[in-house]
Amino acid sequence: GQHDGGDGGNAFDKDGGINKDKDPNNDHVVPHRTSLISNLTFPLYQHMDSNISNTSSSFRYSSVSFLSALEGEEFLGSSANSRNSSSGTTAEGTTANTEPNMEQQSLLLLPSDATSSALAKAYRSLAFQTLADQVKSSVRSHPGNEWMFLLEKVEEQPLRWAEELLPKKKCGPILLERTPVRMDLSHSCWSDIFFLGMDYPEAARVINCSVDLAVQRSGEGSINNDGGNGNSDACRPIPPIECRLQLTTANPGTIKLTSVDLKSSVLLTHVSQVFNYGADYLGLLKAGLVAAGIVPLGLEKICATEDIPLKDLLSVMMPTAGDNTCPYGLELTTNVHDIPKGSRLAVSTNLLGSIIAVSMRATRQTSSASLAGGLLEPERRLVAARAILGEWLGGSGGGWQDSGGLWPGLKLIHGVTSQKGDPEWGVSRGRLLPKHELLRGEDAPVELLEKLERSLVLVHGGMAQNVGPILEMVTEKYLLREEEEWHARHRAMEILDDLLVAFK
């Protein structure tokens, strides 16, 4: 249900704001912590010897109750109430004390180490699966995405290729999408992780900028302030992510995926192959086609009983009505220019955004009369929502600020409280997608941006790290309301405010 504050496990009041109770030695809110063990009465076994107990039954359980962290009400209980079990009435109508004695206390059954470990692992997995389901539900409910989940037949595919892409000879024109990466100046302690942004939108604040890169290796010379490296224009900053899409007669009825930087290519002939993200190194490209609607997600459940040829799907997408043939195949080629893995520039998310954007253009899901030009704000938000879906499908992980490369320039991205009519209303305090505010004019003068461009040098230190375990650790500490991390989050928010003031 919707988080509405209270006394247990939450730092929000009943109006959705922050509790006013503070640590006298600290300026930040100290969230209430709860413990499952402190709210649990374990089963109590008694001997069959009637001398031990005055109860009518020689074998009973004490009550097991979970106290609500919010209102203190019992969620689960047996017929006996643990609060009132200290006294009872005998058959003669006299009151007898049934408080467990020392011998009974020694019979208290606690779970073993192995059982506790198994329970901890199970509940952890359940918690993260619940968070994943919450994100997927919001993505599914986002306007423009519902049909992809509901489609159950190839014939129901509503998308059609733009006629400009149809080959006049062997190959059609190439549709090229170039996308920058994002660099965050402050992320307020990973506050953009999907669940954190949806549970605590007030603290979800990020400053990031979209950047083109002029990549140079050691020993290739220095970069001048104008982006060149002396006598050559070859090292001027460019968007480092490229996606090329075209229809071709070379392999009709198939989808060919190629990653230039990964040196990998695969030819797909059936729909089930698209949903097999772990079969090769091109799972992200497959997830992009699924999230863009070219291979709708609803077809995945059909593949369990029927392996559909891709030619059946591609023939439906031909713009000529009544044409059941499939004379063309689809080729998608991506290239990430000289960015090492684990660069922390959100390459995977922006690559997904680039694939989704070029696919939406190719199937006329954008409002532009031509295939070129920038995306409108509603289209950017739709691409961002689908990129989040692609992350969950492809397993790349990340947060909502990672798709910041879809928006130009320097920007403040912050969480938004869910309102009536939002898919998240009644489910979470905040919306899945944040609000992007471009910093310009008084908030970020042109002189500031020019100075940043001339002075920033990005250095790769040779180390790479999988961000997935880090995000899981941050989420765990947030769910447990770890005090040190909570204060650090608020200190990071103060640093972000200082940056916004310094920009002016």
Side-chain angles (χ1 to χ4, degrees):
Q2 185 178 7
H3 300 284
D4 57 1
D7 292 333
N10 212 322
F12 313 115
D13 60 27
K14 292 186 177 181
D15 296 324
I18 301 176
N19 283 339
K20 304 305 180 184
D21 299 330
K22 295 187 177 181
D23 186 337
N25 299 319
N26 198 299
D27 294 334
H28 304 306
V29 177
V30 178
H32 299 290
R33 298 189 63 184
T34 60
S35 170
L36 175 64
I37 298 298
S38 65
N39 293 331
L40 178 64
T41 304
F42 289 97
L44 183 66
Y45 290 88
Q46 295 184 340
H47 287 300
M48 297 181 65
D49 188 351
S50 60
N51 294 327
I52 295 180
S53 174
N54 198 23
T55 60
S56 58
S57 173
S58 60
F59 178 80
R60 72 174 177 87
Y61 290 95
S62 66
S63 66
V64 181
S65 63
F66 293 90
L67 301 185
S68 167
L70 299 181
E71 302 297 341
E73 60 188 3
E74 292 188 358
F75 278 87
L76 174 65
S78 66
S79 58
N81 191 310
S82 62
R83 300 175 183 176
N84 301 322
S85 62
S86 60
S87 65
T89 303
T90 65
E92 291 77 19
T94 60
T95 301
N97 185 13
T98 59
E99 185 72 18
N101 55 33
M102 292 302 294
E103 185 176 357
Q104 291 172 321
Q105 292 284 5
S106 65
L107 299 173
L108 188 66
L109 297 182
L110 294 175
S112 66
D113 291 346
T115 302
S116 299
S117 178
L119 285 172
K121 184 175 182 180
Y123 276 112
R124 181 185 183 276
S125 299
L126 178 61
F128 278 96
Q129 184 59 51
T130 301
L131 303 184
D133 291 341
Q134 184 176 342
V135 172
K136 289 180 182 179
S137 177
S138 296
V139 172
R140 176 173 182 167
S141 302
H142 192 278
N145 285 347
E146 302 94 331
W147 68 270
M148 296 191 298
F149 293 84
L150 299 176
L151 189 143
E152 295 183 352
K153 296 180 181 179
V154 170
E155 295 77 13
E156 297 175 355
Q157 167 66 281
L159 302 182
R160 300 293 181 268
W161 300 113
E163 293 188 6
E164 296 93 321
L165 293 179
L166 297 182
K168 291 183 171 57
K169 294 183 179 179
K170 184 176 180 180
C171 296
I174 297 176
L175 194 57
L176 173 62
E177 189 88 20
R178 288 192 175 100
T179 306
V181 291
R182 71 102 181 99
M183 180 174 64
D184 63 87
L185 306 182
S186 172
H187 53 53
S188 301
C189 295
W190 290 278
S191 65
D192 65 305
I193 298 175
F194 300 123
F195 174 72
L196 271 65
M198 296 172 73
D199 190 66
Y200 193 4
E202 298 88 349
R205 304 169 69 209
V206 175
I207 298 175
N208 81 14
C209 51
S210 301
V211 294
D212 298 336
L213 296 180
V215 180
Q216 277 191 304
R217 293 178 176 84
S218 177
E220 291 183 352
S222 60
I223 302 177
N224 295 332
N225 288 338
D226 61 356
N229 60 345
N231 299 323
S232 174
D233 293 333
C235 204
R236 291 186 178 277
I238 61 172
I241 298 174
E242 291 184 356
C243 292
R244 289 176 167 82
L245 184 149
Q246 72 173 152
L247 298 178
T248 175
T249 59
N251 297 290
T254 65
I255 295 179
K256 184 178 181 180
L257 304 177
T258 302
S259 172
V260 176
D261 54 293
L262 295 180
K263 300 178 181 178
S264 180
S265 182
V266 64
L267 186 67
L268 308 177
T269 58
H270 288 77
V271 173
S272 61
Q273 294 175 290
V274 180
F275 295 112
N276 191 358
Y277 307 108
D280 44 55
Y281 294 112
L282 303 176
L284 211 61
L285 279 67
K286 297 175 183 177
L289 291 180
V290 173
I294 290 182
V295 183
L297 192 59
L299 295 179
E300 184 176 15
K301 51 189 172 185
I302 303 177
C303 295
T305 57
E306 179 185 0
D307 203 359
I308 307 169
L310 278 171
K311 63 180 181 181
D312 294 348
L313 177 63
L314 296 177
S315 62
V316 173
M317 300 178 67
M318 290 297 114
T320 306
D323 188 358
N324 294 325
T325 62
C326 184
Y328 311 123
L330 172 65
E331 290 189 3
L332 176 66
T333 303
T334 64
N335 190 12
V336 178
H337 291 279
D338 296 322
I339 300 180
K341 291 183 179 180
S343 65
R344 307 297 291 275
L345 295 174
V347 173
S348 60
T349 306
N350 286 288
L351 174 59
L352 270 171
S354 188
I355 295 171
I356 294 168
V358 73
S359 299
M360 288 176 58
R361 294 181 193 273
T363 51
R364 292 297 190 189
Q365 297 183 67
T366 56
S367 58
S368 177
S370 65
L371 297 178
L375 297 174
L376 302 179
E377 180 64 19
E379 295 167 349
R380 286 196 183 103
R381 293 185 63 81
L382 180 57
V383 172
R386 291 182 173 183
I388 293 173
L389 173 61
E391 285 181 332
W392 285 102
L393 295 175
S396 58
W400 47 237
Q401 73 126 333
D402 289 345
S403 57
L406 298 170
W407 280 262
L410 187 66
K411 63 202 80 82
L412 169 66
I413 314 175
H414 60 85
V416 181
T417 304
S418 60
Q419 304 292 331
K420 192 172 183 178
D422 292 334
E424 298 82 6
W425 174 252
V427 178
S428 62
R429 297 187 63 254
R431 294 192 323 212
L432 172 66
L433 289 182
K435 184 175 181 180
H436 296 71
E437 295 185 7
L438 299 183
L439 300 179
R440 58 182 68 175
E442 295 182 355
D443 296 326
V446 177
E447 295 80 9
L448 168 70
L449 301 179
E450 292 177 348
K451 289 180 180 179
L452 283 175
E453 288 182 354
R454 290 197 298 267
S455 61
L456 280 178
V457 177
L458 196 62
V459 179
H460 178 56
M463 295 181 63
Q465 189 171 16
N466 182 7
V467 73
I470 297 177
L471 301 184
E472 286 192 2
M473 177 193 67
V474 173
T475 303
E476 286 180 5
K477 291 183 178 296
Y478 173 81
L479 292 174
L480 293 173
R481 301 297 194 262
E482 295 287 350
E483 185 172 327
E484 184 177 356
E485 285 75 11
W486 186 270
H487 293 317
R489 184 178 305 281
H490 284 77
R491 289 196 297 271
M493 292 167 60
E494 294 172 355
I495 294 174
L496 185 143
D497 290 331
D498 292 341
L499 282 174
L500 292 176
V501 173
F503 288 163
K504 299 179 180 181

